[in-house]
Amino acid sequence: SQQGEEDPQALSIQEGENATMNCSYKTSINNLQWYRQNSGRGLVHLILIRSNEREKHSGRLRVTLDTSKKSSSLLITASRAADTASYFCAPNTNAGKSTFGDGTTLTVKP
Amino acid sequence: DTGVSQDPRHKITKRGQNVTFRCDPISEHNRLYWYRQTLGQGPEFLTYFQNEAQLEKSRLLSDRFSAERPKGSFSTLEIQRTEQGDSAMYLCASSRGGTGVENEQYFGPGTRLTVT
């Protein structure tokens, strides 16, 4: 299965610190996507990185992809209390459906 | 609002009843996905459509579940003879389809189903 598995399961940091979350998967992919979900809400798409890309930035977000290790990381710099949420990675094959892990729950303390 | 919308947002039903949920995707998106999410877990893929064609169904989707997208626009997900184990958040997402940025999925707010 190409299901993503996020690590750690939970992360608690102080506002202003950086947060790093990791994702591992098992099969070849076309791209990998990261999503955020606030409690009880729908998922918000954060960033998509293609299999031929190694790093991508969007604002305070930096995503890396290492296809040889079948892993990805999401870095949130200068975290804010509003970043408190669950973060999911979703590896994708040609079909385009997303297969999610159970996410990393990030808590940013003010 | 041009995002993905879902209706209803909440549904409480008694065991054994049938329920139907609706999803309206972003208008130019030809792919539509249904997921189910329970507390503390990530969304589980149920099924997806390319226009009106249902291209894949998860093994999670028992015979009691059926989804349609009759005109390639909105979609419905019906659960017959609901069971308490069906209680979950049902999420709909849409995308333009294809690889790369066209594959970005946009999620609706979800329908929370409670079966009593």
Side-chain angles (χ1 to χ4, degrees):
Chain A
S1 156
Q2 71 273 27
Q3 179 178 8
E5 295 184 7
E6 296 88 352
D7 174 68
Q9 286 187 324
L11 181 60
S12 182
I13 59 174
Q14 293 293 134
E15 206 165 28
E17 294 180 340
N18 296 343
T20 299
M21 288 157 269
N22 301 298
C23 169
S24 60
Y25 57 93
K26 294 180 179 177
T27 63
S28 296
I29 59 171
N30 265 353
N31 62 67
L32 185 143
Q33 304 183 45
W34 284 90
Y35 293 83
R36 183 187 74 224
Q37 185 177 37
N38 291 86
S39 180
R41 309 287 291 273
L43 279 79
V44 174
H45 186 274
L46 295 177
I47 200 164
L48 180 152
I49 186 165
R50 298 182 185 184
S51 59
N52 61 356
E53 297 175 315
R54 291 297 166 258
E55 188 170 311
K56 207 163 181 181
H57 297 255
S58 177
R60 293 183 298 111
L61 306 180
R62 182 175 81 107
V63 168
T64 63
L65 180 65
D66 187 335
T67 52
S68 67
K69 295 181 179 178
K70 293 187 170 56
S71 67
S72 175
S73 68
L74 170 67
L75 168 68
I76 304 174
T77 60
S79 63
R80 305 167 182 168
D83 295 328
T84 294
S86 292
Y87 291 82
F88 297 90
C89 72
N92 285 268
T93 60
N94 285 331
K97 72 181 187 185
S98 292
T99 311
F100 296 87
D102 290 337
T104 292
T105 300
L106 173 66
T107 302
V108 181
K109 301 175 185 175
Chain B
D1 187 341
T2 57
V4 179
S5 61
Q6 292 187 244
D7 184 70
R9 295 290 304 277
H10 303 274
K11 179 71 178 178
I12 300 173
T13 191
K14 292 184 178 179
R15 188 177 55 187
Q17 298 293 306
N18 299 343
V19 293
T20 300
F21 310 141
R22 176 179 171 123
C23 171
D24 286 88
I26 294 171
S27 59
E28 63 267 27
H29 286 184
N30 53 36
R31 282 197 183 167
L32 186 148
Y33 307 79
W34 283 100
Y35 296 86
R36 179 175 66 188
Q37 185 178 27
T38 52
L39 196 62
Q41 298 192 331
E44 295 174 295
F45 169 79
L46 294 178
T47 188
Y48 90 98
F49 294 83
Q50 174 86 19
N51 299 313
E52 65 274 11
Q54 188 173 19
L55 296 188
E56 187 172 347
K57 289 174 61 173
S58 165
R59 286 170 292 179
L60 294 172
L61 218 61
S62 74
D63 291 345
R64 297 184 298 105
F65 288 71
S66 62
E68 294 183 342
R69 193 182 183 198
K71 297 181 180 179
S73 56
F74 74 91
S75 175
T76 58
L77 177 68
E78 181 183 16
I79 308 174
Q80 296 181 328
R81 305 181 303 281
T82 52
E83 302 172 357
Q84 287 187 321
D86 297 332
S87 294
M89 176 79 88
Y90 290 83
L91 296 166
C92 175
S94 70
S95 73
R96 285 197 174 92
T99 59
V101 293
E102 295 177 342
N103 195 26
E104 292 180 2
Q105 294 184 31
Y106 294 85
F107 281 78
T111 294
R112 182 168 296 284
L113 172 67
T114 302
V115 181
T116 61

